[in-house]
Structure formats: C-alpha cells, structure tokens
C-alpha cells in the first residue's frame, strides 16, 4: 500500500539548490509561449497583474516592462526565495498560498499561473480565488502540465537508456501523485474556466521534445528528488547515476509534459466580489 504523503509538502521545494536551475530551464522552455499568450490576451500599459506561484523572476520582469510605470505587478509564491530577484519599481513580491489564503488586494486586469494548480491539492479553491480577484473584464491565463496526456520523457523509446529514463519519469510522477498532484489536470482547464464563469475561453498546448534546456531540467529534477526515489523503492542509486550520465552525454531526446494554456475573460457586467 502506498503511503499518503500529501502532508509532506511540495516535492520540488524552492529551498533546494536545484530549484534555481529548474526555474532557469523552465524559463528557457516556456517563457516564449507564455509571452505569446500575454500578447494574445492584450496585456497593456497600466494593467494590474498578479503572477501566481511565480517561482523565478522572468515572467514578472516581462510583465513589468509591458505595464510600464503606471501599472502594477504582484508576484506571489509559498516560498519567495527565487522570486525576490524580480523586486524592482512596479514589482511587489509577497508570500502567499493561493489554495488557502484570501486573495491579495486587487482587483487585477490579468492573473497568470504556470505549473501551479497541478501541484496544489486545494486547486479548486485556488481557481476560485483567482477568478474572485479579477476585475470585471479582466483576463485569467492558466498554464498547467498534463503528464498523463503524454507520459514518456523519451517518446522515442528505442533502447535501454530511453527505457530507463521513462521508468525514472514514471517514478517521479508517482511521487507527485502521492503528494496530491493531478497528473491529468491540464486537459480540464478549458472546462474549468467556463464553469468558473469566464467567457471567450480558448486553449492550446505546447511541449518541446528535444532541447538543451530539457536536459538541464531533467538533471536538476532527478537530483532534487533522488533521495525520495530511492527511499520509495522507485529507483536505485546506480540507476540514477547511470541516467544522469546518459543525460550529460546528450544521448537522450527528452520531452516535457504537454503544457496546456487556457485563458478567458470575466464578463464585463459581473459584479465585483468581496
């Protein structure tokens, strides 16, 4: 019987040294897609923006440039160790648990969360909090992975190195599941945004299948969860060392989970919520 580890906290703890490397790799992989969606929803000068679960500083910095001196960017996370690098004129950083805390002072023209709700056990409450904090006419953009939609880190599993990589990825996702992650959350985002009362809902998906940043992300992730993989009997130290050597040698075409991006608008006539 698998232990319930939901009370052990977030698996990929921001306080670990590998977190910064992961944030840099995620930025390299997904910032361009995120910024394209910001352009699509029309982020403009003077907007008030809330970046939920900011992690690293790159998204908050882009929003700060776009909204200009008359705008406001709030970047929140349960651990702001890496987010604090974004602090500058027009960017405020605040420790905040979107699944449990009341929404910060708003309302906001744009609220964005990337790779957040898939990990938050109180994800329904978190989504309600974000919708509540939108101004009438405001936009919500949620981007989350759907590991169950494409479960392989090596889609081209042609040899033992690729098979090992996929087996370790299965172990990693088991650790996530044990901590309450919803590994098929991304595909539900369009429906959930509509059910939350948003209109003009659209969505797309993106995932790279080979990139130097994929290698960096995989190595940092495996190092970050190494002890848990071994403790749970999901991998041995020898297998992890062998896999890291394969990654370092560039012998693997590594993919990410599909990133589903869904966005919608709170109706302009919607009464403000307290």
């Amino acid at each position: 019987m698998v232990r319930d580890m939901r009370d052990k906290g977030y698996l990929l703890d921001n306080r670990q040294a590998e977190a910064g490397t992961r944030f840099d790799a995620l930025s390299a992989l997904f910032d361009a897609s995120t910024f394209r969606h910001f352009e699509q929803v029309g982020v403009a000068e003077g907007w008030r923006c809330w970046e939920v679960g900011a992690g690293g500083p790159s998204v908050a910095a882009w929003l700060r440039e776009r909204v200009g001196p008359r705008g406001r960017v709030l970047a929140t996370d349960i651990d702001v160790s890496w987010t604090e690098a974004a602090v500058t004129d027009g960017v405020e950083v605040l420790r905040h648990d979107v699944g449990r805390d009341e929404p910060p002072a708003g309302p906001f023209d744009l609220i964005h969360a990337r790779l957040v709700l898939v990990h938050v056990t109180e994800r329904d409450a978190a989504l309600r909090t974000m919708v509540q904090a939108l101004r009438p006419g405001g936009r919500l953009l949620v981007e989350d992975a759907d590991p169950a939609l494409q479960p392989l880190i090596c889609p081209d599993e042609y040899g033992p190195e690729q098979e090992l990589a996929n087996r370790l990825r299965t172990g990693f996702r088991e650790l996530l599941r044990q901590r309450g992650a919803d590994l098929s959350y991304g595909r539900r985002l369009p429906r959930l945004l509509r059910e939350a009362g948003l209109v003009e809902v659209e969505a797309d998906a993106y995932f790279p299948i080979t990139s130097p940043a994929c290698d960096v992300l995989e190595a940092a992730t495996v190092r970050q969860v190494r002890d848990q993989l071994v403790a749970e009997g999901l991998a041995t130290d020898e297998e992890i060392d062998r896999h890291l050597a394969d990654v370092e040698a560039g012998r693997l075409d590594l993919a990410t989970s599909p990133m589903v991006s869904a966005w919608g608008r709170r109706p302009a006539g919607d009464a403000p919520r307290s």
Side-chain angles (χ1 to χ4, degrees):
M1 182 176 179
V2 175
R3 294 201 310 270
D4 185 347
M5 299 200 294
R6 286 175 291 182
D7 62 344
K8 291 184 178 290
Y10 181 37
L11 179 64
L12 299 167
D13 192 335
N14 286 7
R15 290 169 294 183
Q16 294 177 272
E18 296 86 359
T21 303
R22 293 188 72 258
F23 290 144
D24 289 344
L26 289 168
S27 293
L29 290 167
F30 296 116
D31 276 3
S33 177
T34 293
F35 300 161
R36 173 174 59 84
H37 290 105
F38 286 162
E39 298 276 5
Q40 193 161 355
V41 301
V43 179
E45 186 176 353
W47 275 30
R48 294 156 294 174
C49 304
W50 177 18
E51 174 66 10
V52 181
S58 63
V59 174
W62 189 97
L63 288 170
R64 171 66 183 86
E65 287 298 314
R66 177 53 58 96
V67 303
R70 296 190 300 109
R72 174 197 178 200
V73 177
L74 174 66
T76 65
D77 207 325
I78 57 173
D79 184 323
V80 296
S81 303
W82 303 95
T83 315
E84 287 176 338
V87 173
T88 184
D89 289 344
V91 177
E92 176 187 2
V93 173
L94 176 69
R95 188 192 179 283
H96 182 268
D97 186 335
V98 70
R100 298 180 178 179
D101 297 340
E102 291 295 314
F108 296 94
D109 300 284
L110 170 76
I111 299 175
H112 172 248
R114 186 174 76 188
L115 293 173
V116 174
L117 298 188
V118 67
H119 298 289
V120 175
T121 54
E122 304 88 353
R123 56 187 61 87
D124 292 341
L127 186 58
R128 287 194 299 270
T129 293
M130 290 190 286
V131 172
Q132 178 184 348
L134 285 172
R135 69 163 175 82
R139 307 279 181 163
L140 175 64
L141 169 62
V142 180
E143 302 182 290
D144 254 310
D146 195 314
L149 196 61
Q150 195 290 102
L152 302 178
I153 194 169
C154 287
D156 183 17
E157 188 183 272
Y158 64 88
E161 295 167 337
Q162 291 73 29
E163 185 277 332
L164 174 60
N166 285 336
R167 185 153 50 83
L168 292 183
R169 179 55 43 152
T170 298
F172 168 63
R173 287 172 178 160
E174 174 60 19
L175 293 176
L176 289 174
R177 187 194 64 78
Q178 291 174 12
R179 284 167 171 76
D182 185 343
L183 302 183
S184 58
Y185 189 68
R187 73 192 71 179
R188 293 198 285 274
L189 284 173
R191 170 172 58 85
L192 294 174
L193 266 57
R194 287 195 302 271
E195 290 176 351
L198 301 186
V199 297
E200 300 175 5
V201 172
E202 299 182 53
D204 62 20
Y206 165 76
F207 70 103
I209 60 172
T210 302
S211 165
C214 286
D215 293 351
V216 173
L217 179 63
E218 172 66 0
T221 299
V222 170
R223 290 190 176 99
Q224 194 163 0
V225 302
R226 177 181 190 130
D227 291 346
Q228 294 94 323
L229 286 170
V230 174
E232 291 297 308
L234 297 168
T236 66
D237 279 315
E238 185 277 331
E239 288 172 330
I240 292 172
D241 286 339
R242 181 153 39 98
H243 174 59
L244 290 172
D246 292 340
V247 174
E248 178 68 24
R251 290 195 289 265
L252 303 173
D253 291 316
L254 299 177
T256 68
S257 301
M259 177 81 79
V260 179
S261 302
W263 58 97
R265 179 177 60 83
R266 184 173 169 183
D270 205 4
R273 304 179 189 185
S274 57

